[in-house]
Amino acid sequence: MATTAELFEEPFVADEYIERLAWRTPGGGSRGGEAFDPKRLLEEFVNHIQELQVMDERIQRKVEKLEQQCQKEAKEFAKKVQELQKSNQVAFQHFQELDEHISYVATKVCHLGDQLEGVNTPRQRAVEAQKLMKYFNEFLDGELKSDVFTNSEKIKEAADIIQKLHLIAQELPFDRFSEVKSKIASKYHDLECQLIQEFTSAQRRGEIFRMREVAAVLLHFKGYSHCVDVYIKQCQEGAFLRSDVFEDAAILCQRVNKQVGEVFSNPETVLAKLIQNIFEVKLQSYVKDQLEEHRKSDAEQYLKNLYDLYTRTTNLSSKLMEFNLGTDKQTFLSKLIKSIFISYLENYIEVEIGYLKSRSAMILQRYYDSKNHQKRSIGTGGIQDLKERIRQRTNLPLGPSIDTHGETFLSQEVVVNLLQETKQAFERCHRLSDPSDLPKNAFRIFSMLVEFLCTEHIDYALETGLAGIPSSDSKNANLYFLDVVHQANTIFHLFDKQFNDHLMPLISSSPKLSECLQKKKDIIEQMEVKLDMGIDRTLNCMIGQMKHILAAEQKKTDFKPEDENNVLIQYTNACVKVCGYVRKQVEKIRNSMDGKNVDTVLMELGVRFHRLIYEHLQQYSYSCMGGMLAICDVAEYRKCAKDFKIVLVLQLFDTLHALCNLLVVAPDNLKQVCSGEQLANLDKNILHSFVQLRVDYRSARLARHFS
């Protein structure tokens, strides 16, 4: 059986168990060359099964014995638990009885304590009153003999006694007790001074515990506030040694905030009084010195200092908000700030507007002086408007144009300076204006910007540019107005950015928003009218220049050469020069404008360019070879029109090119060409007008085919 037990290994696996048994049986495996003997292995398995059965019976008997023992012990344990429960119930009953007894005794003790207190309290009061009467008699006799008054170490007890005697003396009639009342008051004052002196000395020595003791005694004296004043005064000694008074103040308050709670019973009141003293004495004096120096002599420095000082003061206030200063510390600190700056903030916006006006005027004047330009007054009124309209529509020379020598009188440097000054003004306005006045003040600053940037600078440049545009019949005219357009466009983008970035946040929730938007809209519309007028005149001048080129370069013999068989040119010289001029103007327009404005202006120029070429071609008679040359010219014009990148313009020149084919097509094919895709929708009179330009038009054959 021992051998069988050895075969059981943990964990038990039946297959491995059989393998181990077979391996241990002689002839049960191929070990050492021994032959396999199945009979012997079977015999071993049968014997082993019998052994396992015997082992199973023994284990089963052992299990039954253990189960019986377990049941017996379970019954004994249950019986023992029942006995313990009964004992616990008895103990709980005893505990309840003891608790009731203790409560009864405690009630008796409390009652006895109340009785004793009722007896002892009057006795203590009587003893205290007796002591006070004894001390009062010493004041009546005029000689203080008690140790509490003569021993300086008992100043705390003496202070308590004299404070009570002082209250009693207040109730005594003056005529009978005037002398003793005077002595008590004198002693009261002396002790108060001694306590304050003791507090001062302890503060200088840094003895927090002693300071707290003395402050607690002085709390019931009239001179307690003087004690607080002394503490505040000594706290500031040596605290303001650096140039930055605001940083010094913040460090001082941080240090005192940690200490004041260990000394005084009302630390928030003491700290608030310290802060009030710093604001009303140190900061107010510092602010006054910094501002009064420049208030009347240098507005720019005055405004910068005011903004800087107010900002640093509000930043200090934000730091002080971390401390416990009572219930409404926000209002408390706001009142302190207002008390310092109220005299400066009342007329702030007037100083701001005055400075902005003078500064902006100086920037503009300095620019015009650098150009050696004397600003001229721009005519206004009904007569001037009438002249402008007549000149725009008829191009009549109603007055001499001004030669600006290519100067636009617009400067990005000037604009940046004006916008920078206005930006700083908006920032100061946001910080220094009362919230109720902020939108109104911001609108006034915006009005200054409109006046000097838009009216005095941009509008003046537009007026000057308009006056500098020559009439359409001028030869070799220099057209600078597109440069004005380009710079004005760039400047107005900067103006619009400042409007959105710096003005809008100040007025977004006020009625002034609509007023500012309307003012901006009006100035934009006013400038757009002048820009449109100037661009229209400039386009007229461009067309006029093209007319001069065509008139000077185009010859009648170009389209009706004397020798039809000896034409060597691909297109006329007039066409070359016009196309060169047009390409330069198209490039200039693209460089001067942006967005949809480019397409709009190029479309207008393209339409006028087409009309000019159309009318120009109507002035000549064309031979067969001349017609071919005209087609070549129009093809070149069409190639030039592609630079416009405008569909309508290209379509117009495509149609014109098709019309020119009528100048060379054989008479028999005229009707077919006229009914083609590009000419089918044109008015018959237009087609006829082109056919009439042919030198062979009067031949009966041609007239018959076209009729």
Tab-separated table of all heavy atoms in Angstrom, residues 406-433:
chain	number	residue	atom	x	y	z
A	406	GLY	N	3.074	113.144	-58.868
A	406	GLY	CA	3.091	111.738	-58.471
A	406	GLY	C	2.934	111.504	-56.977
A	406	GLY	O	2.991	110.360	-56.526
A	407	GLU	N	2.724	112.565	-56.190
A	407	GLU	CA	2.585	112.422	-54.739
A	407	GLU	C	1.129	112.114	-54.379
A	407	GLU	O	0.221	112.809	-54.817
A	407	GLU	CB	3.028	113.714	-54.040
A	407	GLU	CG	2.933	113.659	-52.532
A	407	GLU	CD	3.793	112.551	-51.948
A	407	GLU	OE1	5.018	112.558	-52.187
A	407	GLU	OE2	3.212	111.667	-51.276
A	408	THR	N	0.944	111.054	-53.597
A	408	THR	CA	-0.424	110.669	-53.205
A	408	THR	C	-0.901	111.412	-51.966
A	408	THR	O	-2.102	111.448	-51.692
A	408	THR	CB	-0.489	109.162	-52.912
A	408	THR	OG1	0.370	108.860	-51.801
A	408	THR	CG2	-0.057	108.355	-54.126
A	409	PHE	N	0.033	111.994	-51.207
A	409	PHE	CA	-0.283	112.654	-49.930
A	409	PHE	C	-0.961	111.703	-48.955
A	409	PHE	O	-1.781	112.109	-48.134
A	409	PHE	CB	-1.131	113.918	-50.149
A	409	PHE	CG	-0.383	114.992	-50.878
A	409	PHE	CD1	-0.680	115.292	-52.197
A	409	PHE	CD2	0.650	115.679	-50.259
A	409	PHE	CE1	0.032	116.258	-52.885
A	409	PHE	CE2	1.365	116.654	-50.938
A	409	PHE	CZ	1.059	116.946	-52.252
A	410	LEU	N	-0.599	110.439	-49.055
A	410	LEU	CA	-1.008	109.428	-48.082
A	410	LEU	C	0.248	108.749	-47.560
A	410	LEU	O	1.137	108.411	-48.338
A	410	LEU	CB	-1.942	108.386	-48.705
A	410	LEU	CG	-3.365	108.836	-49.001
A	410	LEU	CD1	-4.106	107.759	-49.789
A	410	LEU	CD2	-4.124	109.159	-47.722
A	411	SER	N	0.319	108.548	-46.265
A	411	SER	CA	1.509	107.961	-45.660
A	411	SER	C	1.106	106.896	-44.646
A	411	SER	O	0.354	107.180	-43.704
A	411	SER	CB	2.351	109.039	-44.969
A	411	SER	OG	3.339	108.464	-44.143
A	412	GLN	N	1.608	105.688	-44.854
A	412	GLN	CA	1.322	104.631	-43.883
A	412	GLN	C	1.973	104.930	-42.542
A	412	GLN	O	1.445	104.559	-41.491
A	412	GLN	CB	1.802	103.275	-44.411
A	412	GLN	CG	0.920	102.713	-45.505
A	412	GLN	CD	1.110	101.219	-45.691
A	412	GLN	OE1	1.544	100.531	-44.799
A	412	GLN	NE2	0.770	100.740	-46.871
A	413	GLU	N	3.109	105.607	-42.561
A	413	GLU	CA	3.761	105.981	-41.295
A	413	GLU	C	2.868	106.924	-40.498
A	413	GLU	O	2.697	106.765	-39.282
A	413	GLU	CB	5.115	106.635	-41.578
A	413	GLU	CG	5.847	107.032	-40.300
A	413	GLU	CD	7.168	107.733	-40.595
A	413	GLU	OE1	7.539	107.842	-41.778
A	413	GLU	OE2	7.820	108.166	-39.632
A	414	VAL	N	2.288	107.905	-41.180
A	414	VAL	CA	1.359	108.823	-40.513
A	414	VAL	C	0.158	108.063	-39.967
A	414	VAL	O	-0.274	108.268	-38.830
A	414	VAL	CB	0.898	109.924	-41.496
A	414	VAL	CG1	-0.265	110.717	-40.908
A	414	VAL	CG2	2.051	110.850	-41.826
A	415	VAL	N	-0.373	107.154	-40.779
A	415	VAL	CA	-1.546	106.379	-40.366
A	415	VAL	C	-1.232	105.524	-39.141
A	415	VAL	O	-2.001	105.468	-38.181
A	415	VAL	CB	-2.035	105.494	-41.538
A	415	VAL	CG1	-3.135	104.560	-41.072
A	415	VAL	CG2	-2.532	106.372	-42.673
A	416	VAL	N	-0.081	104.847	-39.179
A	416	VAL	CA	0.314	104.004	-38.042
A	416	VAL	C	0.463	104.846	-36.778
A	416	VAL	O	0.033	104.439	-35.685
A	416	VAL	CB	1.622	103.247	-38.363
A	416	VAL	CG1	2.185	102.586	-37.110
A	416	VAL	CG2	1.378	102.201	-39.432
A	417	ASN	N	1.055	106.036	-36.919
A	417	ASN	CA	1.208	106.913	-35.754
A	417	ASN	C	-0.144	107.351	-35.201
A	417	ASN	O	-0.364	107.346	-33.982
A	417	ASN	CB	2.047	108.134	-36.122
A	417	ASN	CG	3.507	107.790	-36.334
A	417	ASN	OD1	3.987	106.778	-35.818
A	417	ASN	ND2	4.217	108.604	-37.097
A	418	LEU	N	-1.066	107.735	-36.092
A	418	LEU	CA	-2.400	108.151	-35.648
A	418	LEU	C	-3.147	106.995	-34.986
A	418	LEU	O	-3.779	107.162	-33.931
A	418	LEU	CB	-3.209	108.678	-36.839
A	418	LEU	CG	-2.758	110.013	-37.432
A	418	LEU	CD1	-3.575	110.327	-38.686
A	418	LEU	CD2	-2.920	111.137	-36.413
A	419	LEU	N	-3.062	105.814	-35.604
A	419	LEU	CA	-3.755	104.652	-35.031
A	419	LEU	C	-3.125	104.234	-33.704
A	419	LEU	O	-3.833	103.796	-32.785
A	419	LEU	CB	-3.708	103.479	-36.018
A	419	LEU	CG	-4.538	103.647	-37.295
A	419	LEU	CD1	-4.324	102.466	-38.231
A	419	LEU	CD2	-6.025	103.765	-36.959
A	420	GLN	N	-1.812	104.366	-33.592
A	420	GLN	CA	-1.145	104.013	-32.336
A	420	GLN	C	-1.561	104.961	-31.215
A	420	GLN	O	-1.826	104.527	-30.078
A	420	GLN	CB	0.377	104.052	-32.528
A	420	GLN	CG	1.185	103.653	-31.301
A	420	GLN	CD	0.955	102.223	-30.879
A	420	GLN	OE1	0.549	101.394	-31.679
A	420	GLN	NE2	1.203	101.926	-29.615
A	421	GLU	N	-1.621	106.250	-31.534
A	421	GLU	CA	-2.072	107.222	-30.526
A	421	GLU	C	-3.511	106.927	-30.111
A	421	GLU	O	-3.853	106.983	-28.926
A	421	GLU	CB	-1.970	108.650	-31.091
A	421	GLU	CG	-0.554	109.144	-31.323
A	421	GLU	CD	0.209	109.365	-30.030
A	421	GLU	OE1	-0.433	109.481	-28.967
A	421	GLU	OE2	1.452	109.413	-30.077
A	422	THR	N	-4.353	106.599	-31.087
A	422	THR	CA	-5.756	106.312	-30.778
A	422	THR	C	-5.888	105.009	-29.989
A	422	THR	O	-6.716	104.905	-29.075
A	422	THR	CB	-6.574	106.218	-32.075
A	422	THR	OG1	-6.290	107.343	-32.901
A	422	THR	CG2	-8.062	106.203	-31.768
A	423	LYS	N	-5.081	104.025	-30.351
A	423	LYS	CA	-5.110	102.756	-29.611
A	423	LYS	C	-4.774	102.976	-28.140
A	423	LYS	O	-5.459	102.456	-27.237
A	423	LYS	CB	-4.106	101.787	-30.242
A	423	LYS	CG	-3.960	100.482	-29.484
A	423	LYS	CD	-2.842	99.627	-30.067
A	423	LYS	CE	-2.595	98.386	-29.211
A	423	LYS	NZ	-1.468	97.581	-29.729
A	424	GLN	N	-3.722	103.754	-27.882
A	424	GLN	CA	-3.357	104.053	-26.495
A	424	GLN	C	-4.470	104.839	-25.800
A	424	GLN	O	-4.738	104.628	-24.611
A	424	GLN	CB	-2.043	104.827	-26.468
A	424	GLN	CG	-0.849	104.017	-26.942
A	424	GLN	CD	0.419	104.846	-27.056
A	424	GLN	OE1	0.402	106.062	-26.839
A	424	GLN	NE2	1.531	104.212	-27.413
A	425	ALA	N	-5.118	105.734	-26.551
A	425	ALA	CA	-6.227	106.491	-25.971
A	425	ALA	C	-7.391	105.570	-25.608
A	425	ALA	O	-8.014	105.724	-24.548
A	425	ALA	CB	-6.694	107.570	-26.954
A	426	PHE	N	-7.699	104.600	-26.477
A	426	PHE	CA	-8.758	103.624	-26.162
A	426	PHE	C	-8.408	102.812	-24.915
A	426	PHE	O	-9.270	102.541	-24.076
A	426	PHE	CB	-8.974	102.682	-27.348
A	426	PHE	CG	-9.808	103.259	-28.458
A	426	PHE	CD1	-9.428	103.120	-29.784
A	426	PHE	CD2	-10.985	103.941	-28.171
A	426	PHE	CE1	-10.200	103.653	-30.803
A	426	PHE	CE2	-11.760	104.485	-29.192
A	426	PHE	CZ	-11.363	104.343	-30.510
A	427	GLU	N	-7.145	102.407	-24.804
A	427	GLU	CA	-6.716	101.634	-23.630
A	427	GLU	C	-6.852	102.464	-22.358
A	427	GLU	O	-7.335	101.967	-21.325
A	427	GLU	CB	-5.270	101.170	-23.816
A	427	GLU	CG	-5.110	100.103	-24.896
A	427	GLU	CD	-3.654	99.761	-25.162
A	427	GLU	OE1	-2.771	100.478	-24.635
A	427	GLU	OE2	-3.393	98.786	-25.898
A	428	ARG	N	-6.417	103.731	-22.422
A	428	ARG	CA	-6.567	104.605	-21.244
A	428	ARG	C	-8.040	104.842	-20.931
A	428	ARG	O	-8.450	104.844	-19.758
A	428	ARG	CB	-5.852	105.937	-21.495
A	428	ARG	CG	-4.337	105.837	-21.489
A	428	ARG	CD	-3.699	107.212	-21.460
A	428	ARG	NE	-3.887	107.942	-22.696
A	428	ARG	CZ	-3.011	108.005	-23.678
A	428	ARG	NH1	-1.855	107.361	-23.570
A	428	ARG	NH2	-3.257	108.712	-24.767
A	429	CYS	N	-8.829	105.032	-21.977
A	429	CYS	CA	-10.267	105.262	-21.793
A	429	CYS	C	-10.917	104.066	-21.096
A	429	CYS	O	-11.738	104.232	-20.188
A	429	CYS	CB	-10.918	105.512	-23.150
A	429	CYS	SG	-12.703	105.730	-23.097
A	430	HIS	N	-10.557	102.877	-21.524
A	430	HIS	CA	-11.120	101.656	-20.921
A	430	HIS	C	-10.779	101.561	-19.439
A	430	HIS	O	-11.612	101.178	-18.616
A	430	HIS	CB	-10.577	100.445	-21.665
A	430	HIS	CG	-11.247	99.167	-21.265
A	430	HIS	ND1	-10.710	97.923	-21.531
A	430	HIS	CD2	-12.409	98.929	-20.601
A	430	HIS	CE1	-11.522	96.988	-21.048
A	430	HIS	NE2	-12.552	97.575	-20.490
A	431	ARG	N	-9.549	101.938	-19.091
A	431	ARG	CA	-9.091	101.810	-17.709
A	431	ARG	C	-9.580	102.956	-16.826
A	431	ARG	O	-9.946	102.740	-15.662
A	431	ARG	CB	-7.568	101.758	-17.707
A	431	ARG	CG	-6.921	101.730	-16.332
A	431	ARG	CD	-7.145	100.429	-15.619
A	431	ARG	NE	-6.383	99.353	-16.231
A	431	ARG	CZ	-6.343	98.130	-15.764
A	431	ARG	NH1	-7.044	97.815	-14.689
A	431	ARG	NH2	-5.644	97.194	-16.367
A	432	LEU	N	-9.591	104.170	-17.364
A	432	LEU	CA	-9.802	105.352	-16.524
A	432	LEU	C	-11.238	105.871	-16.522
A	432	LEU	O	-11.599	106.652	-15.638
A	432	LEU	CB	-8.863	106.477	-16.986
A	432	LEU	CG	-7.357	106.138	-16.965
A	432	LEU	CD1	-6.551	107.287	-17.538
A	432	LEU	CD2	-6.894	105.814	-15.549
A	433	SER	N	-12.057	105.456	-17.471
A	433	SER	CA	-13.419	105.981	-17.549
A	433	SER	C	-14.342	105.248	-16.588
A	433	SER	O	-14.192	104.033	-16.358
A	433	SER	CB	-13.973	105.849	-18.973
A	433	SER	OG	-13.262	106.656	-19.867
